[in-house]
Amino acid sequence: MSTSQQQLPPHLQGHIDVLMIDNFDSFTWNLYQQLSLSGAKVTVIRNDAIDPALLPLLKLNHLVISPGPGHPQTDSGISRDAIRYFAGKVPILGVCMGLEVIVDVYGGTIGYAGEIMHGKVSRVRHDNRGCFKDVPQGIQSIRYHSLSAALSTLPPELAVTSVTEESGVIMGVRHRKYTVEAVQYHPESILSEGGDELVRNFLSLRGGTWDVNPEVKVLDQSLPPFPVESLPKEIGQKPAIAQKVPSILDKIYTQRLSDVAQAQSTPGSTLADLETLHSLNVAPSLIPLVPRVQSTEQGRPALFAEIKRASPSKGPISVATSPASQALKYALAGAHVISVLTEPKWFLGSLQDMLHVRTAVANLPNRPAILRKDFILSRYQVLESRIWGADTILLIASMLPEDLLRDLYNYSLELGMEPLVEVNNAKEMEVALSLPAKVIGVNNRNLHDFQVDMSTTSRLSDMVKGRDVILCALSGITSAEDVAQYSAEGVRAVLIGESLMRAEDPAKFIRELVSLPEPSHSPKWRSRLPLVKICGVRSKEEAVAVATAGADMIGLMFVDKSKRYVDIETAKEIAKAVRMLRFDAPSGFLDDDPSDNNTPWFTNHANRLSYSTSNSRPLVVGVFQDAPLAEILKTISTVQLDMVQLHGSEPVDWAKEIPVPVIRVFHVSADGKGVQGITRGGSHQFVLVDSVRDDGSGVSGGSGKVVDLDLAKQVVASGEIFKSQSKKGAEKVNDATPAHSARVEYPMPIILAGGLSPSNVAAAIAKVQPWAVDVSGGVENAAGSGKDLAKVQAFIDAAKGLVSDEEEGSPAEVEA
């Protein structure tokens, strides 16, 4: 429907006393109550309630722009359009974000306030005009913000009306001509003084200009100007005064000194505690930074992908994002380094964030290095970083005296971490080169005023040419063009934070930034025929025949009560015979290395085995059920097993003690129980899904009972890792109940077992799409004394799709 045909909602069609646009903030209710108690009749609409084109249809006396989260350019909805339309027509009051919207509309810059204030009280001085007429000086004000107007970029149309006494942060602005006024603090709060007077002054205003409201004295030339308006000139003329104004970096440095002092005095985190933890090897293993950054294609810079909830310059960026989930997205998309902000006050980070990131990517075959990005100023923090899982740390040259920078750099090297040394000018670059730093990052953002100059890296790049140094561009990079320009200038790595944190699809954005091809959504193992495991082989002759038929794995039962049990001597004969077959087979080669790219744990191991050479199979698998670990280890050594299958309720961590790959069995019951934790990687390399027996043992196998194929299909389809299509959607790990609208990039590679036979295996594979299948009873001879080799061959051919339609006939229906 065209705009001319649209109509206002019925409740907005009449005359409105006060219209308040709600920017989705809980304080809106408090402001509504304050206005109502002051005698106003208030109508509230959300900032997305109507099309901006309908604003001319509204008839109102006053307009109020409410507080709200986020940034005025992205999160204020119709507020900016409403100010543009009603300015000069009716009085407008902005509160908190409302002030930021007004400043933004008139061309000012909204940036970091120099301090994050959430529920903090400050005293405010004001100009005693407009809405502040007759409000007492030095009033207490409650503040909930990290962004504010920048005095240096305040447009000439706006005047500063109030500031905080302790820090000079702008607390109020006013249009010089129109009745448009705003405050940064919350006058509606019970902790703010003079709020009712301010609101009553606003409600007393009429019309759209100050000249029709002489009683509030905005245009009274007899009054002196508000002192803050002369502050920039004074600072510019007197450098001594400017030097006394602390920069943002100075404030962060002071805060971190206090934070470190507190941590060192807290039992459990003292320096002695950290040294003890380090001596006990509690710190997780690290990977060297330089080789990891160098592991990129020629002409394509390495990517430092950053996890940053907030920043001093932008305020909140993506506070609700899970660092662990975000890190896994970065890693799987090709990030070489993951930078984690751990500073808590301005960046809302923590050491726990870094630990969770490290844990989330720990099982990847080529995991990214973990960079602790913080304001490191002591040896304590360097050691702390190592304990909590960092592979490298950031050292900021502009913050550290040269002697301290050298000491921290060398101490970091002692702990195995090559630091990223950050510079912002030629002098700092010279110091970094003299360390001599191997990885130097040029921050395009000046940390003293947080202004960004994208040419900073370009200007300093010549200083590292011909040196064995990796140059990294930091800050302000938002597009593939930025990356391409830096790459052409010899920059070998780029760090990207805010853009990635705001991206709807970080993996897609990474591919666009560094020109990576669109990945295949099908894992490499899916391009190979399903693997086949024939279990319960009992003699050397049988094993040779099964191997010749094309089996990929041969299972030997070391479970005493199994009718297919083999003793150690027989097992040795079988293993020796299989090894000889492999030794005599023609040598193969890998046509593609599946470990080139990062993939999740089980997908990686499935890829590798599916892509193993032709003379490396079949593998001899020893099957155990609740045997002692010592017995398993002894059998592996004596028989020289290639793999182990744990078919009972053995502890998961046993897989870390077993020197060969491990298959862990999940015993699935008719009611769907038994798949909990099936995607938890880091221990066993493969999982087998089998149907639980009806004898009450709680284990599976040997019964010929068909597994629930619908459940098995769901396990595969749910995937090893979930990624929701929308950034706002749910994300979760496979628990066999997929999230709504999720897309699966890594189907879970399972070994399907339970009731399979030559007649039903093809249908089972078509339905479930497993990585491998396992059969024992389904290929036994009629007497149950051994394998029916014709059935074995038929099973393998059917599983691998080697049977023609004429030969196969109509496959038997698989009953779940």
Side-chain angles (χ1 to χ4, degrees), residues 158-186:
L158 300 181
V160 175
T161 63
S162 57
V163 296
T164 58
E165 287 187 347
E166 74 272 20
S167 57
V169 173
I170 294 175
M171 285 290 105
V173 297
R174 178 188 303 123
H175 197 283
R176 297 180 188 273
K177 179 180 179 181
Y178 302 137
T179 49
V180 177
E181 189 152 351
V183 290
Q184 184 71 68
Y185 69 94
H186 287 260

Side-chain angles (χ1 to χ4, degrees), residues 405-426:
L405 175 62
R406 291 186 183 280
D407 180 67
L408 297 182
Y409 177 84
N410 290 325
Y411 182 52
S412 182
L413 292 181
E414 289 178 22
L415 297 178
M417 300 184 294
E418 176 69 45
L420 168 64
V421 179
E422 177 185 309
V423 302
N424 182 250
N425 54 48

Side-chain angles (χ1 to χ4, degrees), residues 1 10 57 90 175 259 269 291 437 504 542 568 575 586 611 615 669 689:
M1 185 167 60
L57 302 181
V90 300
H175 197 283
D259 294 340
S269 64
E504 188 75 15
E542 197 171 76
I568 294 297
Y611 272 68
N615 64 339
S669 61
V689 175

Side-chain angles (χ1 to χ4, degrees), residues 368-387:
I370 305 302
L371 164 67
R372 182 188 182 185
K373 194 173 184 188
D374 205 322
F375 299 83
I376 306 291
L377 43 80
S378 71
R379 282 189 164 219
Y380 175 88
Q381 288 172 288
V382 178
L383 181 56
E384 179 185 57
S385 303
R386 182 69 192 91
I387 297 297

Side-chain angles (χ1 to χ4, degrees), residues 337-644:
V337 177
I338 296 178
S339 168
V340 187
L341 268 298
T342 60
E343 192 282 324
K345 182 175 181 179
W346 284 272
F347 293 89
L348 306 183
S350 69
L351 287 166
Q352 286 81 1
D353 288 344
M354 185 174 70
L355 178 62
H356 296 161
V357 165
R358 172 68 173 79
T359 304
V361 303
N363 296 327
L364 298 178
N366 190 24
R367 74 167 177 87
I370 305 302
L371 164 67
R372 182 188 182 185
K373 194 173 184 188
D374 205 322
F375 299 83
I376 306 291
L377 43 80
S378 71
R379 282 189 164 219
Y380 175 88
Q381 288 172 288
V382 178
L383 181 56
E384 179 185 57
S385 303
R386 182 69 192 91
I387 297 297
W388 283 83
D391 298 300
T392 179
I393 59 173
L394 177 72
L395 296 177
I396 303 174
S398 65
M399 189 183 74
L400 300 169
E402 184 174 337
D403 289 347
L404 179 57
L405 175 62
R406 291 186 183 280
D407 180 67
L408 297 182
Y409 177 84
N410 290 325
Y411 182 52
S412 182
L413 292 181
E414 289 178 22
L415 297 178
M417 300 184 294
E418 176 69 45
L420 168 64
V421 179
E422 177 185 309
V423 302
N424 182 250
N425 54 48
K427 181 178 179 181
E428 293 169 2
M429 176 67 83
E430 290 174 355
V431 173
L433 291 171
S434 71
L435 290 175
K438 297 287 191 300
V439 185
I440 299 176
V442 179
N443 197 342
N444 295 313
R445 176 175 284 113
N446 186 312
L447 290 181
H448 291 282
D449 59 15
F450 273 71
Q451 297 300 307
V452 175
D453 179 358
M454 296 293 287
S455 65
T456 306
T457 300
S458 303
R459 288 195 303 270
L460 299 181
S461 60
D462 285 343
M463 296 183 69
V464 303
K465 287 183 178 178
R467 296 175 181 265
D468 186 20
V469 171
I470 296 173
L471 185 65
C472 181
L474 316 178
S475 294
I477 301 166
T478 61
S479 68
E481 290 73 22
D482 294 335
V483 175
Q485 176 185 333
Y486 284 138
S487 179
E489 294 170 354
V491 174
R492 296 165 63 187
V494 292
L495 185 146
I496 303 174
E498 180 187 349
S499 299
L500 274 174
M501 291 296 289
R502 295 188 188 277
E504 188 75 15
D505 185 342
K508 180 181 179 182
F509 188 49
I510 286 174
R511 292 194 297 272
E512 293 172 352
L513 284 171
V514 294
S515 303
L516 292 174
E518 184 74 20
S520 169
H521 291 298
S522 179
K524 288 183 178 294
W525 60 264
R526 277 265 169 96
S527 66
R528 290 290 195 263
L529 297 174
L531 301 190
V532 177
K533 175 171 172 279
I534 305 296
C535 204
V537 172
R538 281 166 277 196
S539 70
K540 177 179 71 172
E541 293 75 18
E542 197 171 76
V544 170
V546 167
T548 304
D552 301 290
M553 290 170 274
I554 294 176
L556 308 183
M557 297 296 296
F558 294 102
V559 182
D560 290 342
K561 56 187 177 182
S562 171
K563 60 185 177 183
R564 302 178 183 104
Y565 169 78
V566 293
D567 58 41
I568 294 297
E569 290 305 316
T570 302
K572 288 172 63 177
E573 292 178 359
I574 292 172
K576 181 178 179 181
V578 171
R579 283 196 301 276
M580 291 303 297
L581 285 176
R582 296 199 310 240
F583 185 79
D584 292 337
S587 298
F589 63 92
L590 289 175
D591 56 355
D592 189 11
D593 184 358
S595 63
D596 280 348
N597 301 315
N598 268 330
T599 53
W601 176 263
F602 295 111
T603 299
N604 176 55
H605 287 285
N607 287 344
R608 286 180 176 175
L609 190 49
S610 288
Y611 272 68
S612 59
T613 56
S614 58
N615 64 339
S616 65
R617 297 197 296 255
L619 301 173
V620 179
V621 183
V623 181
F624 301 87
Q625 190 171 80
D626 296 323
L629 178 60
E631 179 181 324
I632 296 173
L633 296 176
K634 181 179 179 181
T635 304
I636 293 170
S637 176
T638 303
V639 179
Q640 297 187 34
L641 296 172
D642 299 310
M643 298 175 73
V644 160

Side-chain angles (χ1 to χ4, degrees), residues 8 12-17 55-61 86 90:
L8 288 169
L12 298 179
Q13 291 180 4
H15 197 90
I16 299 170
D17 182 17
L55 291 172
L57 302 181
L58 291 169
K59 298 177 182 179
L60 49 97
N61 294 333
F86 286 108
V90 300

Side-chain angles (χ1 to χ4, degrees), residues 101-253:
V101 174
I102 289 170
V103 172
D104 181 72
V105 163
Y106 288 102
T109 299
I110 297 299
Y112 178 59
E115 51 198 8
I116 295 178
M117 304 296 283
H118 292 289
K120 302 295 180 64
V121 175
S122 298
R123 290 196 175 275
V124 170
R125 297 198 67 80
H126 58 79
D127 67 354
N128 197 29
R129 306 177 196 179
C131 292
F132 283 106
K133 181 71 171 66
D134 296 329
V135 174
Q137 288 291 352
I139 56 171
Q140 296 271 22
S141 68
I142 189 73
R143 300 167 60 190
Y144 288 86
H145 70 104
S146 58
L147 304 177
S148 73
L151 184 62
S152 60
T153 65
L154 199 68
E157 295 94 335
L158 300 181
V160 175
T161 63
S162 57
V163 296
T164 58
E165 287 187 347
E166 74 272 20
S167 57
V169 173
I170 294 175
M171 285 290 105
V173 297
R174 178 188 303 123
H175 197 283
R176 297 180 188 273
K177 179 180 179 181
Y178 302 137
T179 49
V180 177
E181 189 152 351
V183 290
Q184 184 71 68
Y185 69 94
H186 287 260
E188 76 278 9
S189 171
I190 193 173
L191 295 177
S192 291
E193 298 172 342
D196 291 339
E197 291 90 332
L198 184 145
V199 165
R200 284 195 292 267
N201 284 338
F202 169 69
L203 294 174
S204 72
L205 299 175
R206 294 293 179 265
T209 59
W210 293 116
D211 59 4
V212 298
N213 294 276
E215 68 278 5
V216 295
K217 300 185 179 299
V218 169
L219 303 180
D220 191 339
Q221 298 298 316
S222 66
L223 296 176
F226 190 51
V228 73
E229 296 192 53
S230 62
L231 184 59
K233 182 178 178 182
E234 179 181 308
I235 290 178
Q237 292 177 347
K238 298 182 179 180
I241 295 178
Q243 292 174 3
K244 295 179 181 179
V245 179
S247 70
I248 297 172
L249 183 59
D250 295 331
K251 293 178 180 179
I252 295 175
Y253 184 91

